[in-house]
């Protein structure tokens, strides 16, 4: 269960990386969208750290 939860968090984190990269490919990346995606990514990273311990 512990490993499955961490794996799920890592998958979501990777998905956010892809969404950020896609947004950056746009001619005019939306700054509000970028800020939201980065906040989500940071929250996931923090949750991953807690789940790993």
């Amino acid at each position: 269960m512990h490993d499955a939860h961490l794996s799920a968090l890592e998958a979501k984190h990777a998905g956010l990386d892809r969404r950020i990269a896609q947004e950056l490919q746009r001619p005019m990346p939306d700054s509000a969208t970028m800020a939201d995606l980065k906040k989500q990514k940071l929250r996931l990273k923090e949750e991953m750290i807690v789940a790993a311990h």
Side-chain angles (χ1 to χ4, degrees):
M1 165 74 177
H2 179 71
D3 290 337
H5 181 65
L6 187 56
S7 293
L9 293 174
E10 289 171 344
K12 289 180 184 178
H13 192 265
L16 286 171
D17 273 340
R18 287 190 297 275
R19 289 178 59 194
I20 290 169
Q22 288 172 346
E23 186 65 31
L24 288 172
Q25 293 300 315
R26 294 178 44 176
M28 296 279 292
D30 182 55
S31 59
T33 298
M34 287 296 296
D36 182 55
L37 290 171
K38 288 181 178 185
K39 284 179 191 175
Q40 289 179 49
K41 188 176 166 188
L42 180 58
R43 279 193 295 267
L44 275 174
K45 180 136 183 140
E46 291 170 348
E47 192 173 343
M48 286 166 46
I49 290 168
V50 170
H53 290 88

